[in-house]
Amino acid sequence: MSLKNFGKAALLVAVVAACGKNRQQVTENGLKYTIHEQSEGTRKGKVGDILTLHLTLMNNKDSVLRDTHKEGAPFQMLLQVPPFKGSYEEGLTMLGKGDSATFYVSADSLFTRAMQPLPPGVQKGTDIGIAVKVVNVQTEDEYKKTQAADMEKQKGIDAKVIENYIAKNGMTGKAQKTESGVYYIVTQPGSGPTPQKGEVVQVHYTGKLLDGKVFDSSRTNPQAGGKPAQFQLGVGMVIPGWEEGVSKLHKGEKATLIIPSTLAYGPRGNQAIPANSVLLFDIELIDIQKGQAPQPGMPQQPSR
């Protein structure tokens, strides 16, 4: 469907939706939806906008597959032209800040387009329910300005959290600080070289929250199979805090990195890491090599 026709269809559906809240309806493109809350006069999402929203994914038996409310941070996405008929991107153009709705999308179409297998609990030929609550609608410029302001504020919060942690745990005088705010404490010196941009490093790691809870380790992660993680330094394959912290280590060295949330997973977090979490990584730099890296292990650079 062309962008021009899509805009007309979305406008028509919005008018119809205003007359039937909490009643399931269907667009001419086959998207089934129920509007729960919809304010008149609010700016609605349009292609190219950044949407911040909470969503709950459910199978056809109403079992919850994902709930961003429980993850501690809303989901953010660039609103694109609907990739297939009946996709929920069409429905998002009906909604503005504070609005809510549930969309019912073909599981086959949704996961095939994403080149993913159907998740456990989702049967072929069924619909996925996507309950949405819109937190904000922004242009890309508005989004970038908000992100910059929020990051600057979070930097100050993280700095105080890290300073208190270092003082409380007897690390004062041992912890070295990089220019961007990553701290590293060498626990076993190494005599080898430090890695340079473009080189491939092999590291064993254990990632923890400040309360000591382990969220991942290369030694126990089934995907890693107990092998060290590998990544190419300086090309954005991992979180910025890893890039900078690992570059300070010598081959054979062990150290603890303390990484501000702004150089880790920020306000997004993930299923194992709460939003705006300062992270600890116990790192062992095992090897440094030339050449291209294979697909990296954790912690990969988060996407928007």
Side-chain angles (χ1 to χ4, degrees), residues 31 79 88 191 232-233 273 299:
L31 174 64
L79 184 54
Y88 83 113
S191 57
Q232 190 173 10
L233 196 66
I273 300 171

Side-chain angles (χ1 to χ4, degrees), residues 54-55 75 128 132 171 188 210 219 231 239 253 274 290:
H54 274 296
L55 56 80
F75 179 76
I128 292 288
V132 171
M171 297 176 175
Q188 177 180 299
L210 286 189
R219 299 181 188 277
F231 67 93
I239 57 175
E253 201 155 69
K290 303 289 184 181

Side-chain angles (χ1 to χ4, degrees), residues 227-249:
K227 297 179 180 179
Q230 297 187 67
F231 67 93
Q232 190 173 10
L233 196 66
V235 296
M237 295 178 77
V238 293
I239 57 175
W242 258 45
E243 294 271 18
E244 188 164 6
V246 172
S247 71
K248 301 295 183 182
L249 306 183

Side-chain angles (χ1 to χ4, degrees), residues 6-284:
F6 165 66
K8 291 180 179 178
L11 178 61
L12 181 62
V13 168
V15 173
V16 174
C19 302
K21 292 181 181 179
N22 292 314
R23 178 169 61 85
Q24 188 175 117
Q25 301 176 74
V26 184
T27 71
E28 64 181 31
N29 294 305
L31 174 64
K32 292 177 282 187
Y33 69 96
T34 300
I35 299 292
H36 306 301
E37 295 293 336
Q38 189 178 50
S39 300
E40 296 295 331
T42 58
R43 172 184 163 188
K44 307 305 180 186
K46 59 184 179 180
V47 172
D49 283 342
I50 307 296
L51 302 188
T52 302
L53 45 86
H54 274 296
L55 56 80
T56 305
L57 270 61
M58 301 162 287
N59 65 15
N60 64 323
K61 297 181 180 179
D62 292 332
S63 295
V64 174
L65 306 174
R66 182 183 179 186
D67 185 352
T68 59
H69 296 87
K70 296 181 180 179
E71 294 173 11
F75 179 76
Q76 292 176 320
M77 63 176 288
L78 174 66
L79 184 54
Q80 301 176 334
V81 174
F84 58 90
K85 287 188 175 182
S87 70
Y88 83 113
E89 283 87 349
E90 178 186 355
L92 292 176
T93 64
M94 306 176 198
L95 306 180
K97 184 176 180 179
D99 293 347
S100 62
T102 300
F103 305 107
Y104 304 91
V105 180
S106 164
D108 297 343
S109 298
L110 182 64
F111 290 99
T112 298
R113 289 279 178 170
M115 294 184 291
Q116 296 178 356
L118 294 177
V122 177
Q123 297 177 339
K124 186 175 179 62
T126 62
D127 287 341
I128 292 288
I130 306 174
V132 171
K133 175 73 172 181
V134 179
V135 178
N136 208 354
V137 178
Q138 298 170 292
T139 65
E140 191 165 2
D141 285 343
E142 290 170 341
Y143 174 81
K144 288 179 178 178
K145 289 178 181 178
T146 300
Q147 287 288 95
D150 289 347
M151 180 172 286
E152 201 58 36
K153 180 179 178 181
Q154 190 62 41
K155 281 181 180 179
I157 295 171
D158 288 349
K160 291 181 180 179
V161 169
I162 293 174
E163 288 169 7
N164 291 338
Y165 181 86
I166 287 173
K168 183 179 178 180
N169 289 275
M171 297 176 175
T172 304
K174 300 176 184 178
Q176 302 177 70
K177 183 182 178 182
T178 69
E179 185 175 345
S180 63
V182 175
Y183 284 81
Y184 62 102
I185 302 96
V186 175
T187 54
Q188 177 180 299
S191 57
T194 56
Q196 303 301 309
K197 182 178 179 179
E199 293 182 326
V200 176
V201 296
Q202 289 187 4
V203 298
H204 265 307
Y205 69 89
T206 298
K208 307 174 186 176
L209 304 179
L210 286 189
D211 62 6
K213 181 181 178 180
V214 174
F215 57 81
D216 192 18
S217 174
S218 59
R219 299 181 188 277
T220 59
N221 188 319
Q223 293 181 334
K227 297 179 180 179
Q230 297 187 67
F231 67 93
Q232 190 173 10
L233 196 66
V235 296
M237 295 178 77
V238 293
I239 57 175
W242 258 45
E243 294 271 18
E244 188 164 6
V246 172
S247 71
K248 301 295 183 182
L249 306 183
H250 296 267
K251 181 178 176 179
E253 201 155 69
K254 294 182 180 181
T256 296
L257 306 181
I258 308 177
I259 301 178
S261 69
T262 53
L263 298 174
Y265 291 92
R268 294 287 302 278
N270 65 26
Q271 292 184 345
I273 300 171
N276 296 318
S277 292
V278 173
L279 302 180
L280 296 178
F281 285 96
D282 293 326
I283 299 281
E284 179 182 2

